[in-house]
Amino acid sequence: MNLLIRKFYYGDIPEEKGGGSYYQTEQDTTTWPLWEVFIRSKQGLDHKHVGSLHAADAQMAIENARDVYTRRMEGVSIWVVESKHITASNPEEAGELYEPAADKVYRHPTFYQLPDEVNYM
Amino acid sequence: MPVQDFEQLFQQKIDAEVKIEPKDWMPDAYRKTNIRQISQHAHSEIVGMLPEGNWITRAPSLKRKAILLAKVQDEAGHGLYLYSAAETLGMSRDEMINDLHSGKAKYSSIFNYPTLTWADIGAIGWLVDGAAIMNQVMLCRTSYGPYARAMVRICKEESFHQRQGFESLLVLSKGTPEQKAMCQDAINRWWWPALMMFGPKDSESTNSDQSMKWKIKRKSNDELRQNFVDMIAEQVKVLGMTLPDPALKWNEERKHYDFGEINWEEFWNVVKGNGPCNKQRLEARRKAHENGRWVREAAMAHAAKLAERRKQEAA
């Protein structure tokens, strides 16, 4: 591919002060899929999402996750799942999903007023 | 809802310090600015490995070599955190890498300066990582969630980079006359490029206002630069070295250090690709990418073969 390169300056560098150059690029025929990484920081705690990375397969994803996300003993266990398998809720449906819980204060223990004499409850 | 209403709601969230997450509605320009800034930041981490890589085999002791290796490995990690944060905004990793290699995307100009002596590695840790940290600490509170989370992780790791650099210079500053001279020379060469890392003056900076309003940035270039000068002007005394700026002087009235004018002509020249190492850095990146292509493709072929074999075994 022969591309005309318009230069865009990033950060706070104004873009109009640009030039141009040609560079021959060749695309990879395949790309490694994206994986989401979850790490258990110590025994007894949940796995927590820490980020994502690219890898050819699950085994490589775990090995890469070890290098990228646990260089300072941040984990004792790693889960990886290909990002395409994750279904996320839609932020636009937040109302329908979460508002029904908002008016049910009786689900919390503090809703109930008990006499002071009642202990351990 | 008309777009203006979405924009208003968006700004309200920003003003209320609610983080923006990947699937939330956001103005196009907010998405673009973040992609640009995060990917530039990622490229800087990746290209930033090159000047330091020069000294891994030349480090003066096994201890310093192990430290430098760990630091360079961190930079790779930081690049990866940031690439994946940028990917959540809808730009693919391949596109980003391509933009870097074609010269369309920029990385921090500081990495276009050469590392001539061992003391440069110390000066990079202290001054270059020090300047980067000023920026990064601010970015831990940036409004885009994945970017802020990546920055928190990076800041935790980056503090080791600055400390090891200062410590390494401290050793040189107490060494032989040659070592002291090498230390001062490295400081002299890296000081001004480090100040340039904060970007053009606020009065010349076109993207700043909107970025501040969207809380992508929270401090201006000049503000961060002043904080940096104030910090380094004190630390340099501990080294018993000086900064190469005759105008550097404490201003009692402002409660800040005054400092001399940056050579903006040099700044723009390096940005435009005419720095001492621009060509070399990009060529190293392209070569690594092109030489690695068969490995990436072989790994995919291997993964496909294994998956196929497993399927047959299960059948």
Side-chain angles (χ1 to χ4, degrees), chain A residues 8-15 23 25-29 31-32 50 52 54 68 71-72 88 91, chain B residues 36 40 74 81 84 87 93-94 98 104-106 153 157 160 207 217 221 268 286 290 293 296-297:
Chain A
F8 295 97
Y9 295 115
Y10 287 94
D12 282 308
I13 299 163
E15 293 178 355
Y23 167 62
T25 63
E26 192 189 324
Q27 293 283 340
D28 284 15
T29 49
T31 50
W32 291 358
V50 293
S52 53
H54 288 269
V68 178
R71 287 193 302 283
R72 289 176 176 77
Chain B
R36 198 173 65 185
Q40 180 199 23
D74 274 354
Y81 306 155
S84 53
E87 276 173 285
R93 180 81 55 103
D94 271 14
N98 238 329
K104 178 178 166 187
K106 291 286 141 196
R153 194 186 302 275
E157 299 181 351
F160 132 66
N207 300 333
K217 282 180 70 165
N221 296 355
W268 287 112
R286 289 170 185 164
E290 277 158 22
R293 177 168 290 119
R296 294 192 296 277
E297 290 178 348

Side-chain angles (χ1 to χ4, degrees), chain B residues 267-281:
Chain B
F267 172 80
W268 287 112
N269 255 321
V270 182
V271 167
K272 285 179 182 166
N274 305 321
C277 301
N278 293 56
K279 275 215 178 84
Q280 193 186 332
R281 302 289 184 241

Side-chain angles (χ1 to χ4, degrees), chain B residues 135-152:
Chain B
N135 204 26
Q136 287 165 341
V137 166
M138 161 189 87
L139 288 170
C140 289
R141 292 166 55 237
T142 191
S143 58
Y144 186 57
Y147 192 20
R149 291 193 285 275
M151 290 319 305
V152 169

Side-chain angles (χ1 to χ4, degrees), chain B residues 218-235:
Chain B
R218 287 169 174 267
K219 285 183 177 177
S220 77
N221 296 355
D222 287 338
E223 230 178 318
L224 287 167
R225 187 163 18 235
Q226 180 69 63
N227 291 348
F228 179 70
V229 171
D230 291 347
M231 179 179 86
I232 299 296
E234 289 300 317
Q235 291 173 354

Side-chain angles (χ1 to χ4, degrees), chain A residues 1 3-36 39 48-60 64 66-72 74 86-92, chain B residues 6 23-25 35-37 39-40 70 73-78 80-81 84-85 87 93-94 98-99 101-106 109 153 156-157 160-161 198-200 204-208 211 217 221 267-268 271-273 286 289-290 293 295-297 299-300 302-303 306:
Chain A
M1 228 190 327
L3 301 171
L4 169 65
I5 304 307
R6 273 176 55 221
K7 288 192 175 169
F8 295 97
Y9 295 115
Y10 287 94
D12 282 308
I13 299 163
E15 293 178 355
E16 64 273 18
K17 301 199 178 181
S21 67
Y22 285 93
Y23 167 62
Q24 299 285 337
T25 63
E26 192 189 324
Q27 293 283 340
D28 284 15
T29 49
T30 56
T31 50
W32 291 358
L34 189 66
W35 301 77
E36 298 302 321
I39 295 197
K48 197 175 152 217
H49 183 246
V50 293
S52 53
L53 49 75
H54 288 269
D57 61 12
Q59 190 55 41
M60 191 200 268
N64 288 357
R66 195 276 312 263
D67 289 341
V68 178
Y69 293 105
T70 67
R71 287 193 302 283
R72 289 176 176 77
E74 289 95 336
I86 289 189
T87 309
S89 63
N90 188 341
E92 278 153 42
Chain B
F6 276 117
K23 293 190 81 179
D24 295 343
W25 186 90
I35 288 180
R36 198 173 65 185
Q37 191 175 323
S39 65
Q40 180 199 23
Q73 200 189 9
D74 274 354
E75 319 285 10
H78 297 175
L80 294 175
Y81 306 155
S84 53
E87 276 173 285
R93 180 81 55 103
D94 271 14
N98 238 329
D99 283 355
H101 293 172
S102 72
K104 178 178 166 187
K106 291 286 141 196
S109 281
R153 194 186 302 275
K156 274 189 204 154
E157 299 181 351
F160 132 66
H161 297 184
F198 296 97
E204 307 264 318
S205 181
T206 51
N207 300 333
S208 271
S211 286
K217 282 180 70 165
N221 296 355
F267 172 80
W268 287 112
V271 167
K272 285 179 182 166
R286 289 170 185 164
H289 191 71
E290 277 158 22
R293 177 168 290 119
V295 180
R296 294 192 296 277
E297 290 178 348
M300 276 310 276
H302 180 67
L306 275 186

Side-chain angles (χ1 to χ4, degrees), chain B residues 120-190:
Chain B
D120 287 15
I121 297 304
I124 287 180
W126 177 41
L127 297 174
V128 175
D129 290 312
I133 290 170
M134 309 276 336
N135 204 26
Q136 287 165 341
V137 166
M138 161 189 87
L139 288 170
C140 289
R141 292 166 55 237
T142 191
S143 58
Y144 186 57
Y147 192 20
R149 291 193 285 275
M151 290 319 305
V152 169
R153 194 186 302 275
I154 288 173
C155 281
K156 274 189 204 154
E157 299 181 351
E158 198 81 36
S159 139
F160 132 66
H161 297 184
Q162 196 188 11
R163 290 175 70 104
Q164 67 80 35
F166 188 84
E167 192 234 26
S168 160
L169 290 184
L170 195 60
V171 170
L172 292 176
S173 74
K174 291 177 179 156
T176 63
E178 288 83 0
Q179 287 172 326
K180 285 181 188 168
M182 188 164 82
C183 179
Q184 182 63 60
D185 168 67
I187 295 170
N188 290 350
R189 280 183 292 107
W190 288 94

